[in-house]
Amino acid sequence: MVNEKLNMQFVVAKELIVSSRATYYGSPDCKGTPTGACGFGEYGRTVNNGEVTGVSRLYRNGSGCGACYQVRCKIPAHCSDEGVKVVATDYGEGDRTDFIMSTRGYTKLARPNMAAELFAYGVVDVEYNRVPCRHGRSLALKVHENSNYPYYLAIVPLYSDGISDINAMYIWQDREWRPMRRAFGTVFDIPNPPKQPLAIRVQFIGPQTKVEWAQSTNAIPEDWEVGVVYDTDFQIN
């Protein structure tokens, strides 16, 4: 039943399937890297059970961070029918590749006991399409390690669901919504944040450039701490 559902993702969205290539990078535990260009930190290493990927053109100046893709390779003897669902957590360029996967993600492309054959190829032809993320929890906002209380605040959103990109983030200050700067990847920052519980507003851009908004009145407390993850009360489906 699981395989049937995954295969249907390719059938239903056949016109959205893209042909490309994928390779992999090594790490001690076969998961991702905590120093990825998206700014996710440890989340970028372990989210989705470590089945993550670096992307190049899909990075889209950081707005592609956190997107989910269903990817399968095209070698019938070695590649599984369903492929693997990976989360984009880093930037990476390869030999005409759209995906540089964690070892754990790349392994999932293979049929049982066939991973060694795929690793021997090094780079494989794949087809992929974007699919909704499903983390099973509300969006969270992490105070990035570059922050310096109370003078400088940088925020990175985690566990974004659905199939939309986080395009912008705003903070309520002086009776208006003020835009935060995209510092890098999916990290948004602001100098001299207000000394009060922080209301945050997030703009999502979905398929066909559909715009959606969500906000939380007390998303981050006044006495926020560097490295702490704060849960919001919303999620995009």
Side-chain angles (χ1 to χ4, degrees):
M1 185 65 177
V2 174
N3 288 359
E4 290 178 2
K5 288 182 178 179
L6 289 168
N7 286 337
M8 281 298 293
Q9 289 177 332
F10 283 94
V11 173
V12 172
K14 187 174 181 180
E15 70 279 4
L16 301 179
I17 295 175
V18 181
S19 294
S20 185
R21 283 154 52 93
T23 186
Y24 66 94
Y25 62 91
S27 62
D29 58 3
C30 300
K31 297 181 180 179
T33 171
T35 58
C38 289
F40 284 138
E42 184 67 11
Y43 169 91
R45 190 180 74 82
T46 59
V47 68
N48 195 40
N49 198 31
E51 292 163 15
V52 298
T53 186
V55 292
S56 50
R57 66 188 182 91
L58 297 173
Y59 182 75
R60 299 192 306 279
N61 198 34
S63 64
C65 291
C68 294
Y69 297 91
Q70 192 71 31
V71 186
R72 61 182 181 184
C73 56
K74 297 181 178 180
I75 308 172
H78 304 319
C79 298
S80 66
D81 293 334
E82 65 271 19
V84 62
K85 181 179 180 179
V86 289
V87 180
T89 61
D90 199 358
Y91 178 89
E93 295 184 12
D95 180 12
R96 294 175 287 121
T97 60
D98 274 319
F99 301 96
I100 303 181
M101 297 182 180
S102 64
T103 306
R104 185 169 295 203
Y106 193 82
T107 299
K108 283 288 192 72
L109 291 172
R111 293 183 182 276
N113 303 315
M114 289 289 181
E117 283 77 2
L118 287 192
F119 282 108
Y121 281 100
V123 181
V124 292
D125 291 327
V126 298
E127 60 183 8
Y128 72 90
N129 64 339
R130 186 168 178 180
V131 295
C133 294
R134 292 286 181 260
H135 297 294
R137 53 166 297 170
S138 62
L139 185 78
L141 301 175
K142 176 186 175 182
V143 177
H144 193 270
E145 286 77 6
N146 288 349
S147 300
N148 180 22
Y149 182 85
Y151 308 105
Y152 171 75
L153 174 64
I155 297 173
V156 54
L158 310 178
Y159 303 107
S160 179
D161 267 2
I163 201 166
S164 299
D165 296 330
I166 293 180
N167 185 61
M169 190 174 293
Y170 293 76
I171 191 168
W172 183 256
Q173 187 174 22
D174 298 331
R175 299 184 179 182
E176 65 177 350
W177 288 108
R178 296 197 171 187
M180 301 181 73
R181 179 185 70 125
R182 186 187 291 273
F184 68 95
T186 191
V187 179
F188 294 85
D189 67 359
I190 187 170
N192 301 313
K195 295 180 176 62
Q196 62 188 43
L198 303 179
I200 301 293
R201 194 179 192 201
V202 182
Q203 183 190 67
F204 298 84
I205 303 294
Q208 289 78 52
T209 64
K210 179 184 178 182
V211 178
E212 295 183 86
W213 294 89
Q215 65 188 54
S216 182
T217 304
N218 297 301
I220 297 176
E222 179 180 353
D223 57 345
W224 49 266
E225 297 180 32
V226 174
V228 175
V229 177
Y230 299 99
D231 289 327
T232 70
D233 53 6
F234 63 83
Q235 184 58 275
I236 294 295
N237 297 316

